[in-house]
Amino acid sequence: AEARKAGLLGSDVLGSGLAFDVEIVRGAGAFVCGEETALLASVEGRIGEPRPRPPFPAEKGLWGCPTVINNVETWANVPLILVAGADLYRGAGTEASGGTKVFSLVGDVTNTGLVEVPMGTPLRHVVEVMGGGLSRGSRIKAVQTGGPSGGFLPAALLDTPVEYESLTGAGTIMGSGGLVVMGERTCMVDMARYFLSFTQAESCGKCVPCREGTALMLQILERICAGESRPDDVRLLEEWAWAAKDGSLCGLGQTAPSPVLTLLRYFADELDEHVRHRFCPAGVCRELFQFRILPQACTGCGACLRACPQGAIIGQPRGAHDIDQGRCTRCGVCRDACSFETIVVEPRPTPPATQPGFREATAQADQEKVSRRE
């Protein structure tokens, strides 16, 4: 409205005879509308579903007319290029990927927020210099780039430059510019399950590889995290991941398996611990571990006792404490409260799948999840 009042929009922009206007269309916020043909469908008032290409939007787009699609981050660079010239813009970044990139830096990092870096900047610089390293003082375990459908990169690949070709080659994407930093207490199997649950819920359901593939991968990961893994789960997980990646209609289905594929590629040992040994080394999947206090290292300070919401910590002041495993819910509050790192994660002595009532409770939980999805 302000631009129109100033004569910058309308049928006669600044008396030049040029007609130019802007209309803002508010969509429903569906994740799948990040795909351009789904976005166009949403703008036209239809369900945000992708369509096969060709024809591409540049040939047949909005209302059947040739349409150019760019996101706001791209348009934000246009004034600089028009005012200062393309050479200034190309002065930042690399030969293949010019300019800068804005990242949303979140997770186990000291400085969270939005950061803008030239293309080609190593991920390590973004995380350790701009992000200030991990907030809890532990070591970096992994980073995820590109939002929910991006892949996990281990700490060994932190020197990967921020550019499209390098990230794609490593198994992830630039995507929306999300950058999640994860410390050693992060379970990569649980993270893959978490992000896949999002993309599965956001799938429009139009094509079978995405609709069925994400659902089946999610079921397998939920089973693994609950201690109900089966001998062929890893094989099925990889088969469905590639089927969804290669056969899906749009970018959502093609990139949704990225957390799973990079889990298999970089964190196979951690997945193996979950499947074969039913143990979560990070202490996240609650049915696959228990906490134990090291008696020789416990100072009896009582910090864990005061923090425990279940009253599961037992012991006397200045004496070694212990954990009542029958009352412990494995929430991790005690471990966070301990300043001396005397609380460790270890396998549970009885496999959860053999405990009385476990299978019945798991089946009921699965049914509730299915009902919620329906």
Side-chain angles (χ1 to χ4, degrees):
E2 292 175 356
R4 289 193 184 98
K5 187 176 181 180
L8 299 174
L9 292 175
S11 58
D12 187 17
V13 175
L14 297 178
S16 65
L18 173 68
F20 188 83
D21 210 344
V22 172
E23 181 181 355
I24 297 176
V25 179
R26 219 172 156 179
F31 186 68
V32 72
C33 288
E35 198 279 336
E36 57 185 10
T37 61
L39 176 63
L40 291 175
S42 179
V43 172
E44 293 175 347
R46 297 183 287 111
I47 295 175
E49 290 182 342
R51 63 164 174 79
R53 298 170 298 174
F56 292 93
E59 302 167 309
K60 185 178 180 181
L62 189 66
W63 313 118
C65 300
T67 305
V68 176
I69 300 176
N70 289 290
N71 64 28
V72 173
E73 186 179 9
T74 300
W75 285 114
N77 293 308
V78 172
L80 171 67
I81 295 172
L82 291 177
V83 172
D87 290 340
L88 177 66
Y89 180 81
R90 291 286 300 168
T94 66
E95 183 177 351
S97 302
T100 62
K101 178 64 181 175
V102 176
F103 283 97
S104 173
L105 189 59
V106 297
D108 298 329
V109 67
T110 302
N111 305 320
T112 60
L114 298 176
V115 297
E116 184 176 7
V117 297
M119 288 286 199
T121 302
L123 286 169
R124 187 182 303 278
H125 180 84
V126 179
V127 174
E128 296 183 354
V129 178
M130 306 183 79
L134 258 66
S135 56
R136 292 187 289 191
S138 64
R139 292 183 298 177
I140 297 172
K141 184 175 185 177
V143 295
Q144 184 198 32
T145 69
S149 52
F152 305 133
L153 299 182
L157 294 182
L158 276 179
D159 292 317
T160 301
V162 174
E163 57 182 4
Y164 294 98
E165 296 79 11
S166 298
L167 293 176
T168 301
T172 185
I173 57 175
M174 187 82 74
S176 59
L179 184 58
V180 183
V181 182
M182 295 166 252
E184 291 180 308
R185 291 188 181 181
T186 302
C187 172
M188 303 312 299
V189 182
D190 178 68
M191 290 301 290
R193 179 205 58 79
Y194 170 76
F195 285 115
L196 192 61
S197 68
F198 175 83
T199 50
Q200 194 277 326
E202 291 295 323
S203 170
C204 73
K206 183 175 183 178
C207 68
V208 173
C210 177
R211 182 182 70 240
E212 299 300 323
T214 54
L216 287 166
M217 283 188 289
L218 180 59
Q219 288 176 15
I220 293 172
L221 288 173
E222 288 177 339
R223 196 161 61 230
I224 292 173
C225 290
E228 283 280 287
S229 58
R230 301 170 185 171
D232 61 344
D233 274 347
V234 174
R235 178 183 62 81
L236 289 173
L237 197 60
E238 185 170 12
E239 285 184 4
W240 276 108
W242 282 110
K245 181 179 178 64
D246 294 338
S248 294
L249 178 62
C250 81
L252 187 150
Q254 293 162 9
T255 58
S258 296
V260 173
L261 290 172
T262 49
L263 170 70
L264 292 163
R265 181 176 177 180
Y266 299 119
F267 302 96
D269 291 345
E270 189 167 348
L271 179 61
D272 186 63
E273 287 283 347
H274 281 69
V275 175
R276 295 182 59 192
H277 304 293
R278 288 190 165 88
F279 175 48
C280 177
V284 174
C285 304
R286 295 193 184 190
E287 302 300 335
L288 303 183
F289 74 95
Q290 67 180 23
F291 289 120
R292 183 169 67 89
I293 299 176
L294 299 174
Q296 69 275 19
C298 180
T299 64
C301 68
C304 60
L305 187 148
R306 292 188 296 271
C308 179
Q310 299 297 321
I313 309 294
I314 52 180
Q316 299 298 320
R318 302 195 181 281
H321 287 58
D322 198 3
I323 299 176
D324 182 348
Q325 299 296 341
R327 302 185 69 177
C328 178
T329 61
R330 299 170 294 284
C331 64
V333 171
C334 59
R335 185 166 60 153
D336 293 336
C338 180
S339 302
F340 303 97
E341 297 185 354
T342 62
I343 300 178
V344 296
V345 176
E346 64 181 16
R348 298 182 71 178
T350 304
T354 65
Q355 295 176 1
F358 179 84
R359 293 182 183 276
E360 292 78 3
T362 302
Q364 182 179 354
D366 288 344
Q367 184 57 47
E368 290 174 355
K369 291 173 184 175
V370 171
S371 299
R372 286 198 297 271
R373 282 198 291 264
E374 290 175 347

